[in-house]
Amino acid sequence: MRRLLLALVLAVPVILLASAPVQAVPVSQPIVTGQAVYGSTLAADPGQWSPAVATFAYQWLRDGAPIAGASGATYTAGLDDLGKALSVQVTAGDGSGVATSAPTAPVARATMSAKRQRVLGEARYTHSLKARPGRFSAADVTVSYRWPGGGTGRTYEIRPRDVGSKVVLRITAQAPGYEPLTVKVRSALVRHRVDVRRTVTYHVETRGHITASLKEFRAQAQETYDDARGWRAAGIRFKPVAHGGSFTLVLAQAGLVPSFSSGCSSMWSCRVGRFVIINQDRWRNASPAWNAANLALRDYRHMVVNHETGHWLGLHHASCPGRGRLAPVMQQQSKGLQGCRFNPFPTTRELNSRTPHPRAMANLMVRSYSPDVE
């Protein structure tokens, strides 16, 4: 009897050991596959286990902490994951073993793509352009605009300095979870208010003792003629030539201006027949009224060239059209504004009056030789 009891006692541990579950051990650790990027789907690879395991349970971790509800074999990175590392904890289906993958890199913002961004409208001075934002790969996109000069609206008024170049619009899109995307869009080449309808030639001369830079005089006069706000806006192109031409642009010593006509003054610039005469004193120093208003010398030079050339184009002196409005360039601004504001360039009305039509081009130049004083 004693021998039987002893045999039973010794057999109990063997029976208990045989009924205990075998511990499953990963032969290769679980890994996370996929890109750690916002919106991307990551997948858990449980690895190889010994003994083999038929099923697994998963728990996704954010910086080592469990993510509520994230218990599938896949996980899509969201906003809360940005900048955080993800990993997955894998448990054998019978609970006999647990292993955790290595963490991913911190979740990065996604890259946005864009298409069909455009600038709409006629690329011409005095016109406006409009942004078409197009489409972006992200949802809930906020779009902003940046035009030359800092404008942020959807429309853009073309400026004189844009003529001859392409307007560059920067469209920036922002969306949650995405890196901001900026797309550069260019307009067509910006043209003048009116295409060339007439070309006139001129050459430059001097009279008397000239102390101003003749090189600067030539360059700045041509800049005035080319300026999108000047007579070029009437479709008239001015081309310098070495000799002859349709008119002569003269830089004259102040005391010699009256030599062109008794109607001219040594105080002011003048136009007599084919001669557009710029008084050197005024060119160098502007006029007393202009200086009293603290206006730029360069703008005075625009004004005096536009004014005297306007006489050659057939325009007489003009009056102020209304208090507070821009003075016509053909107004004698240095002698009185009549309530208007100084203005170095032709008004729209003046431009329209000189915009040539094909059958009328030859009639624009005044052929009389009466003097026109600034």
Side-chain angles (χ1 to χ4, degrees):
M1 187 66 176
R2 290 180 179 179
R3 291 179 179 177
L4 178 59
L5 289 173
L6 179 60
L8 289 174
V9 170
L10 293 174
V12 168
V14 175
I15 295 172
L16 292 176
L17 181 63
S19 64
V22 177
Q23 181 74 29
V25 178
V27 177
S28 61
Q29 289 296 115
I31 59 173
V32 174
T33 62
Q35 296 290 323
V37 176
Y38 169 77
S40 294
T41 298
L42 306 175
D45 181 341
Q48 300 294 319
W49 293 66
S50 178
V53 177
T55 61
F56 296 93
Y58 303 95
Q59 175 61 58
W60 289 87
L61 310 174
R62 179 189 299 127
D63 276 355
I67 303 173
S71 56
T74 61
Y75 177 75
T76 301
L79 293 175
D80 291 338
D81 301 314
L82 291 174
K84 309 292 179 61
L86 299 176
S87 56
V88 64
Q89 185 181 79
V90 179
T91 302
D94 59 2
S96 63
V98 178
T100 302
S101 71
T104 66
V107 175
R109 293 181 178 273
T111 300
M112 199 184 311
S113 62
K115 61 181 180 180
R116 298 183 182 177
Q117 285 70 37
R118 292 181 60 193
V119 173
L120 305 177
E122 185 176 1
R124 186 184 291 277
Y125 176 55
T126 71
H127 290 234
S128 60
L129 302 174
K130 186 175 183 179
R132 189 175 83 173
R135 298 179 182 178
F136 298 91
S137 60
D140 301 323
V141 174
T142 300
V143 178
S144 60
Y145 308 100
R146 177 70 64 174
W147 297 94
T152 57
R154 192 170 177 181
T155 59
Y156 173 76
E157 297 293 331
I158 294 176
R159 304 172 300 172
R161 72 184 67 176
D162 297 324
V163 173
S165 62
K166 295 182 179 182
V167 173
V168 179
L169 166 65
R170 289 172 171 80
I171 301 177
T172 298
Q174 294 180 298
Y178 287 81
E179 291 289 349
L181 174 66
T182 298
V183 179
K184 289 184 181 180
V185 189
R186 289 173 170 80
S187 72
L189 192 70
V190 176
R191 295 181 291 171
H192 281 275
R193 172 181 178 266
V194 174
D195 291 335
V196 174
R197 297 183 182 179
R198 178 190 183 194
T199 298
V200 296
T201 56
Y202 72 96
H203 79 278
V204 175
E205 292 183 0
T206 62
R207 293 288 192 278
H209 180 57
I210 300 302
T211 56
S213 168
L214 183 58
K215 180 180 179 180
E216 181 180 61
F217 177 76
R218 290 178 184 273
Q220 291 195 354
Q222 187 61 44
E223 287 173 5
T224 298
Y225 289 141
D226 290 338
D227 197 292
R229 299 165 291 179
W231 295 116
R232 176 61 187 81
I236 306 170
R237 176 171 57 194
F238 294 82
K239 180 180 178 181
V241 294
H243 303 284
S246 302
F247 69 91
T248 303
L249 179 64
V250 182
L251 179 61
Q253 181 182 340
L256 293 182
V257 174
S259 66
F260 287 88
S261 170
S262 59
C264 295
S265 164
S266 60
M267 179 66 180
W268 306 110
S269 298
C270 196
R271 173 261 172 183
V272 180
R274 68 168 284 121
F275 295 101
V276 174
I277 309 141
I278 307 302
N279 186 311
Q280 178 177 235
D281 285 354
R282 300 284 71 78
W283 178 260
R284 293 185 62 186
N285 305 307
S287 70
W290 201 270
N291 293 328
N294 295 315
L295 299 175
L297 173 62
R298 183 68 186 97
D299 281 339
Y300 178 86
R301 291 176 174 180
H302 281 308
M303 186 277 293
V304 72
V305 171
N306 281 324
H307 180 96
E308 300 304 341
T309 303
H311 283 312
W312 182 84
L313 289 171
L315 291 175
H316 300 295
H317 285 137
S319 299
C320 174
R323 181 168 293 277
R325 296 175 64 179
L326 286 177
V329 79
M330 298 312 298
Q331 183 175 339
Q332 292 176 295
Q333 298 179 53
S334 295
K335 296 182 178 181
L337 288 172
Q338 303 168 345
C340 272
R341 294 179 288 132
F342 284 108
N343 173 38
F345 292 99
T347 62
T348 300
R349 183 174 181 178
E350 290 172 311
L351 290 172
N352 288 339
S353 74
R354 295 298 91 185
T355 301
H357 299 284
R359 295 182 181 178
M361 289 182 183
N363 298 322
L364 288 177
M365 186 177 69
V366 171
R367 301 184 184 279
S368 66
Y369 278 75
S370 58
D372 296 293
V373 182
E374 178 187 348

